[in-house]
Amino acid sequence: MVQTRDNALSVREVPGKGLGVYATSDLSKGTRILAQKPTIALKAHQPLVDAWRIFQTLSPTKQRHFKTLHGAANHRKMNDLLRSCDEHGIRDRDEAAHVMDIYNTNAFETDRKGNAVSAVFQKTARINHSCVPNAEATYNKRLGRQVVHVTRDVKAGDEITVSYTRPIERTAVRQRHLEDHYGFSCDCLECDDDEEFAAEGAERREHMVNLNEMLEAYNDGADCAVVKTAEEAVETTEKLIGLMGEEGLFGKDVGRLHWDIGSHYEALKRCKDARKHYDLALEVYALCCGADHPLVEKLDLKLAKLR
């Protein structure tokens, strides 16, 4: 059983950001810091107004805690929420719209019991964003919980951060997503115009996006694909992994890329090379998702067949 170090966290004020989550002791890479059941969860077909109905079934304490989370709706979006409340005959329309806004802002996409689901996990929702995060949140279907692991060594007093956007994305696209969905502009080192690292990072991210698009075209069998062979796909993927390392990015995406390389080598009948990258993928997933994650078991089975 994977140990959870949630007692090594504290919530406190972050200058200019409201509340945030901090490590109260040193945490080694791969440490699980949270494992939570959702406070409110909606299936894909459920209307947002159902978040308000579920909210009303929570205990007064859970309701109070939920309402302390950030809601990012602008005037237009809030009017849309209020209109939805009116259409569903909700009397407490202002409070309901506020709850729906909080849900919209803080929900993570997940998959529970084979159904597409979004959910708010109270403690994870307190973790602020960084484009170069030191933690990653993943839903573990076997546990029925969202788990959060630190993706590099963290010192006591460091703020815990996750990424609210896709890591392999251009700076302008990340910023637009953050502003539209969460109502803020990122000012991390990766996004600070005054920092040399930001300029270098923007160039690396652009290169990463281009490489990723080349790989997607190859995997889709597109006629316009620049990458034509499995060998070229391996080389391109290794370049992408290298750029992610230069950016300080480590997470499930790195595991996925190693898995892809393993698949390419397996197709080429180069089993030794395939095992090497499946092993690397296994290591990444175990660190970022936990040894009890279904992906780890799936990779274990794949490796067993290759031995």
Side-chain angles (χ1 to χ4, degrees):
M1 183 175 180
V2 180
Q3 181 184 9
T4 303
R5 292 283 309 280
D6 54 353
N7 60 342
L9 304 175
S10 67
V11 176
R12 65 174 193 255
E13 288 285 340
V14 183
K17 294 183 181 180
L19 298 176
V21 177
Y22 285 81
T24 58
S25 62
D26 293 349
L27 299 168
S28 59
K29 182 177 181 178
T31 299
R32 177 172 292 175
I33 55 174
L34 288 173
Q36 317 159 74
K37 291 184 177 180
T39 303
I40 299 176
L42 297 179
K43 295 181 180 179
H45 67 272
Q46 285 186 272
L48 182 58
V49 71
D50 280 357
W52 165 244
R53 296 187 175 114
I54 297 171
F55 171 83
Q56 292 176 291
T57 68
L58 300 177
S59 70
T61 299
K62 287 186 177 181
Q63 288 185 3
R64 186 170 63 254
H65 288 166
F66 186 87
K67 288 170 69 175
T68 64
L69 296 176
H70 174 63
N74 57 27
H75 182 71
R76 178 184 59 81
K77 290 180 180 178
M78 184 56 71
N79 281 338
D80 290 342
L81 293 174
L82 290 168
R83 191 178 304 112
S84 178
C85 291
D86 291 338
E87 291 170 354
H88 286 86
I90 296 174
R91 293 181 180 179
D92 300 325
R93 61 195 295 269
D94 290 337
E95 184 179 10
H98 179 52
V99 167
M100 291 158 65
D101 177 26
I102 290 173
Y103 185 89
N104 241 0
T105 303
N106 294 278
F108 284 80
E109 290 186 4
T110 181
D111 182 0
R112 293 199 305 139
K113 298 181 180 178
N115 297 312
V117 169
S118 64
V120 172
F121 300 89
Q122 184 77 29
K123 293 180 180 178
T124 307
R126 281 284 175 226
I127 301 177
N128 287 319
H129 164 83
S130 172
C131 294
V132 189
N134 58 14
E136 184 158 23
T138 308
Y139 190 76
N140 187 315
K141 288 189 286 186
R142 180 177 290 118
L143 299 178
R145 295 172 182 267
Q146 185 194 57
V147 295
V148 181
H149 294 78
V150 294
T151 53
R152 59 175 179 262
D153 292 343
V154 172
K155 294 292 186 182
D158 287 351
E159 184 182 6
I160 303 296
T161 57
V162 296
S163 178
Y164 296 178
T165 66
R166 292 178 57 196
I168 305 175
E169 196 55 270
R170 294 177 174 90
T171 301
V173 175
R174 296 197 314 275
Q175 287 282 18
R176 185 163 60 250
H177 174 75
L178 293 170
E179 290 174 1
D180 289 348
H181 193 77
Y182 299 101
F184 71 86
S185 297
C186 183
D187 60 358
C188 72
L189 289 176
E190 182 74 19
C191 297
D192 189 340
D193 291 337
D194 295 331
E195 294 288 342
E196 182 180 348
F197 179 79
E200 295 173 351
E203 185 176 340
R204 276 191 294 266
R205 299 272 178 145
E206 181 72 26
H207 194 186
M208 285 163 54
V209 171
N210 291 335
L211 292 175
N212 196 51
E213 289 174 349
M214 289 165 60
L215 290 168
E216 288 177 347
Y218 169 77
N219 292 330
D220 292 342
D223 294 335
C224 61
V226 176
V227 175
K228 301 292 187 183
T229 66
E231 290 90 342
E232 291 176 351
V234 167
E235 182 181 357
T236 304
T237 307
E238 287 179 334
K239 287 180 181 177
L240 180 51
I241 292 173
L243 286 170
M244 294 184 73
E246 290 177 26
E247 279 289 272
L249 296 172
F250 182 85
K252 296 191 298 292
D253 282 311
V254 175
R256 173 183 60 82
L257 292 171
H258 279 298
W259 194 323
D260 288 347
I261 293 176
S263 297
H264 296 317
Y265 276 133
E266 191 173 0
L268 292 167
K269 308 300 183 183
R270 292 173 56 175
C271 293
K272 182 178 179 181
D273 291 320
R275 285 196 299 271
K276 172 186 173 182
H277 284 278
Y278 286 144
D279 273 327
L280 289 170
L282 182 66
E283 180 183 346
V284 173
Y285 283 125
L287 285 168
C288 298
C289 307
D292 52 7
H293 196 280
L295 282 173
V296 173
E297 180 182 355
K298 188 174 181 179
L299 270 170
D300 271 332
L301 292 172
K302 179 174 282 293
L303 281 163
K305 291 178 181 178
L306 287 175
R307 290 192 176 102

